[in-house]
């Protein structure tokens, strides 16, 4: 049966299992990919740095060695001080033996400058810092520069006399080498390593998915079993495989489920025994109560002929016997609801006539203001509607204050017609905290009722504290609900809502 809106035993929002790309799976994959990406980028950066350093170091060493050897060979036959022509010829000879590729040699002696390629612009590639270091130093110096957007290596060294005292001759030699080939080699290496990042990341994602599946598969099974257990499937278990932490968790879950199932079975057995006990006691009380009722009826009929004390006692016995009989009937009715044995004998009924008949049967017609439009028909169990009306109106008359109004109307909700029966009074209303418990069994909102008021209960079990609970169960059996709220000015308003047409779900 669908749970009515007035059911206080609410369930939490439905839990949705995480999708394929949700939850831990996406976090594990993201972590794997992030680690792989960081590792690949770091390895690429380190490889590029080391390769670039190695290539440039090798080029620098080769350039320095070549320039030193060639300068020593040519300088042995060079006369100082030179003129412009001999200095230029000296630079050309040194250039002929300095490595391969496009290399320019510049020879400087005081203010004279000789260039191996007179058409080349070399001044912009030899920095003042390098010239100062060569002039002041005793060894070869080099510097990498960018000129017109291209990389170059400039090596400079002073030329010394060959007489053994290592004096500088004032002649300085600079070799300018183009580093574009080395730059292209290192760039190609960087591109190749960088192109390898994508396959590494894809491979990491695949491995992460496989690892996530291995780790999360038992977690998903445990989640399904847990949801089944929460939904009431106490036989839900998880297969235990291995001896890792997940296996321990699955084993603990199974042990918990076993204990819960055993406790549930014990509680169900105790509850069934309690229901059978109540039903058996109620059934066994019916026969002596019938006899007591007949005796009490005879005593009440003859009470006027008895002495005052005896008459009062006879009437009290009659009233208490009637209340006890109603209590037994209510207990039997509750036991039928608990055993799910209550069934609807539904037929299309004029609700206005049903409510009027219920009020007239109990002599409440003059005490209740009704708004019952004709033609409001619904498929209901007339006897159970009479019980609901008797309980709600009886409560309003007993604990409220006039005027008590009963209003019947039809309300369309979500494409379906619902019948609403509203019972309102103008009394003090429900005390704090009573609204949440007013439909509980044996709950009495007015704990301070006098015995005289209790003796006046005549609404079908109201004095037992079972009336509103029975009314609520009857409404639930119709697929409807009963709600309680404060009145507009004062008092309490009980609202019965029933569907005009029952569905298969409503009658389960």
């Amino acid at each position: 049966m669908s749970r009515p809106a007035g059911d206080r035993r609410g369930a939490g929002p439905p839990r949705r299992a995480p999708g394929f790309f949700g939850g831990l799976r996406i976090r594990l994959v993201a972590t794997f990919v992030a680690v792989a990406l960081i590792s690949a980028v770091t390895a690429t950066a380190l490889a590029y740095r080391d390769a670039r350093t190695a290539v440039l170091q090798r080029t620098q060493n080769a350039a320095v060695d070549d320039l030193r050897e060639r300068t020593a060979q040519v300088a042995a036959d060079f006369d100082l001080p030179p003129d412009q022509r001999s200095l230029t010829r000296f630079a050309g000879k040194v250039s002929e033996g300095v490595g391969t590729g496009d290399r320019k040699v510049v020879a400087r002696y005081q203010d004279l400058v000789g260039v191996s390629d007179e058409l080349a612009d070399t001044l912009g590639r030899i920095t003042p810092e390098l010239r100062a270091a060569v002039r002041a130093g005793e060894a070869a110096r080099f510097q990498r520069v960018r000129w017109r957007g291209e990389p170059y290596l400039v090596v400079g060294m002073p030329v010394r006399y060959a007489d053994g005292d290592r004096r500088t001759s004032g002649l300085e030699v600079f070799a300018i080498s183009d580093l574009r080939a080395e730059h292209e080699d290192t760039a190609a290496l960087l591109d190749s390593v960088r192109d390898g990042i994508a396959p590494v990341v894809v491979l990491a994602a695949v491995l992460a998915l496989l690892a996530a599946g291995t780790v999360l598969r038992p977690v998903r099974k445990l989640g399904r079993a847990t949801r089944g257990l929460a939904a009431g499937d106490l036989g839900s278990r998880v297969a235990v495989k291995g001896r890792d932490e997940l296996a321990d968790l699955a084993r603990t879950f199974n042990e918990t489920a076993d204990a819960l199932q055993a406790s549930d079975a014990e509680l169900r057995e105790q509850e069934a025994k309690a229901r059978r006990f109540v039903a058996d006691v109620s059934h066994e009380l019916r026969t002596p109560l019938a006899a007591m009722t007949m005796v009490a009826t005879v005593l009440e009929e003859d009470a006027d002929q008895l002495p005052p004390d005896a008459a009062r006692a006879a009437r009290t016995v009659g009233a208490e016997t009637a209340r006890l009989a109603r209590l037994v009937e209510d207990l039997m009715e509750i036991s039928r609801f608990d055993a799910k044995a209550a069934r609807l004998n539904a037929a299309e009924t004029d609700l206005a006539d049903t409510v009027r008949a219920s009020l007239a049967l109990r002599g409440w017609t003059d005490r209740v203001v009704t708004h019952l439009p004709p033609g409001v028909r619904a498929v209901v169990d007339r006897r159970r509607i009479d019980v609901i009306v008797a309980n709600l109106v009886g409560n309003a008359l007993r604990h409220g204050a006039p005027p008590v109004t009963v209003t019947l109307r039809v309300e369309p909700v979500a494409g379906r017609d619902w019948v609403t029966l509203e019972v309102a009074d103008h009394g003090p209303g429900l005390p704090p905290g009573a609204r949440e418990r007013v439909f509980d069994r044996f709950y009495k909102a007015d704990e301070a009722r006098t015995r005289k008021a209790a003796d006046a209960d005549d609404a079908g079990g109201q004095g037992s504290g079972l009336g509103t609970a029975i009314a609520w169960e009857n409404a639930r059996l119709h697929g409807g609900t009963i709600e309680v709220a404060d009145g507009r000015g004062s008092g309490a308003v009980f609202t019965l809502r029933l569907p005009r047409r029952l569905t298969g779900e409503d009658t389960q």
Side-chain angles (χ1 to χ4, degrees):
M1 177 183 293
S2 61
R3 191 185 303 273
D7 195 342
R8 301 174 307 284
R9 299 163 291 177
R15 298 178 180 177
R16 183 174 58 185
F20 183 79
F21 291 103
L24 287 176
R25 179 183 298 274
I26 191 64
R27 291 201 290 271
L28 283 174
V29 173
T31 301
F32 268 74
V33 171
V35 171
L37 185 60
I38 292 173
S39 301
V41 170
T42 303
T44 299
L46 293 176
Y48 174 73
R49 186 195 65 181
D50 293 343
R52 182 172 179 272
T53 301
V55 170
L56 293 178
Q57 188 68 39
R58 185 176 63 251
T59 302
Q60 291 165 184
N61 293 340
V64 171
D65 293 342
D66 289 346
L67 182 61
R68 182 182 293 113
E69 292 176 4
R70 185 59 182 169
T71 300
Q73 293 174 3
V74 177
D77 299 329
F78 187 66
D79 295 330
L80 293 176
D83 56 15
Q84 180 66 50
R85 183 176 181 181
S86 62
L87 190 61
T88 301
R89 187 165 54 251
F90 173 81
K93 289 181 179 181
V94 173
S95 174
E96 293 174 359
V98 178
T100 60
D102 184 14
R103 294 193 178 183
K104 309 292 188 299
V105 175
V106 178
R108 299 179 65 90
Y109 185 82
Q110 297 180 0
D111 295 334
L112 295 178
V113 178
V115 183
S116 61
D117 185 356
E118 297 181 356
L119 299 179
D121 183 3
T122 59
L123 294 178
R125 283 175 272 187
I126 302 175
T127 63
E129 293 82 2
L130 180 61
R131 292 204 331 245
V134 170
R135 186 177 301 114
E138 297 180 357
R141 297 286 188 273
F142 62 87
Q143 186 180 32
R144 290 191 296 271
V145 298
R146 296 193 70 85
W147 184 71
R148 295 181 180 177
E150 299 294 338
Y152 291 90
L153 173 65
V154 183
V155 180
M157 58 180 297
V159 179
R160 303 182 183 282
Y161 289 107
D163 54 6
D165 59 0
R166 308 298 294 168
R167 292 179 298 110
T168 58
S169 63
L171 179 62
E172 301 167 0
V173 181
F174 298 88
I176 303 173
S177 304
D178 190 351
L179 292 180
R180 281 179 292 182
E182 288 76 6
H183 179 72
E184 291 173 357
D185 290 342
T186 55
L189 176 63
L190 178 62
D191 291 339
S192 62
V193 176
R194 187 169 51 205
D195 292 340
I197 292 179
V200 168
V201 171
V202 172
L203 179 61
V206 173
L207 294 177
L209 286 173
L210 294 177
T214 302
V215 174
L216 296 181
R217 191 175 298 113
V219 175
R220 287 198 300 271
K221 292 180 180 178
L222 184 61
R224 286 195 294 268
T226 304
R227 288 191 291 274
L229 193 65
D233 182 12
L234 299 183
S236 180
R237 297 294 186 274
V238 181
V240 180
K241 296 181 180 179
R243 296 185 178 180
D244 55 7
E245 290 80 359
L246 290 176
D248 292 340
L249 180 60
R251 192 175 297 107
T252 303
F253 171 82
N254 290 340
E255 293 173 356
T256 304
D258 290 339
L260 182 61
Q261 189 173 27
S263 299
D264 180 75
E266 183 179 355
L267 290 174
R268 287 179 182 274
E269 183 179 359
Q270 293 177 357
E271 185 179 5
K273 290 180 178 179
R275 290 175 179 173
R276 285 197 299 270
F277 176 77
V278 172
D280 293 343
V281 169
S282 300
H283 181 74
E284 292 298 327
L285 286 176
R286 296 185 71 178
T287 301
L289 274 176
M292 291 173 61
T293 301
M294 287 189 297
V295 172
T297 302
V298 172
L299 290 176
E300 284 188 287
E301 290 177 353
D302 296 337
D304 294 338
Q305 303 173 9
L306 298 175
D309 292 340
R312 185 164 51 255
R315 292 188 180 93
T316 301
V317 169
E320 293 297 333
T321 302
R323 292 182 66 247
L324 183 58
R326 288 197 299 270
L327 175 59
V328 170
E329 292 296 329
D330 288 345
L331 288 173
M332 294 188 67
E333 183 73 4
I334 284 292
S335 66
R336 283 192 287 270
F337 283 119
D338 289 341
K340 301 187 183 302
R343 294 292 182 267
L344 286 178
N345 184 18
E348 187 170 353
T349 304
D350 189 312
L351 291 181
D353 290 344
T354 301
V355 173
R356 291 191 189 95
S358 180
L359 298 178
L361 179 64
R362 293 161 179 83
W364 294 340
T365 303
D366 296 335
R367 302 172 60 187
V368 177
V369 178
T370 60
H371 304 283
L372 305 174
V376 179
R377 303 182 67 82
V379 179
V380 295
D381 187 326
R382 186 184 181 100
R383 182 185 68 83
R384 296 186 183 278
I385 297 299
D386 175 73
V387 172
I388 296 174
V389 173
N391 278 286
L392 298 184
V393 176
N395 271 339
L397 291 172
R398 185 167 42 258
H399 302 296
V404 174
T405 60
V406 177
T407 305
L408 178 67
R409 57 178 177 269
V410 178
E411 294 180 347
V413 178
R416 188 179 181 188
D417 286 341
W418 289 73
V419 177
T420 299
L421 183 68
E422 185 180 279
V423 178
D425 65 74
H426 291 74
L430 294 173
R435 187 184 304 176
E436 292 75 16
R437 300 186 55 196
V438 70
F439 297 107
D440 291 347
R441 298 173 184 182
F442 296 105
Y443 175 72
K444 299 178 181 180
D446 188 3
E447 298 291 349
R449 292 193 303 173
T450 63
R451 189 65 184 168
K452 181 178 178 180
D455 293 340
D457 287 338
D458 58 357
Q462 290 289 346
S464 66
L466 292 174
T468 53
I470 292 176
W472 186 87
E473 291 287 356
N474 280 308
R476 183 184 63 86
L477 200 61
H478 283 84
T481 182
I482 301 178
E483 300 172 359
V484 60
D486 293 330
R488 295 179 180 86
S490 61
V493 178
F494 285 79
T495 304
L496 168 68
R497 286 189 174 87
L498 300 174
R500 294 190 73 176
R501 295 288 182 269
L502 296 178
T503 64
E505 182 180 351
D506 294 331
T507 57
Q508 289 179 356

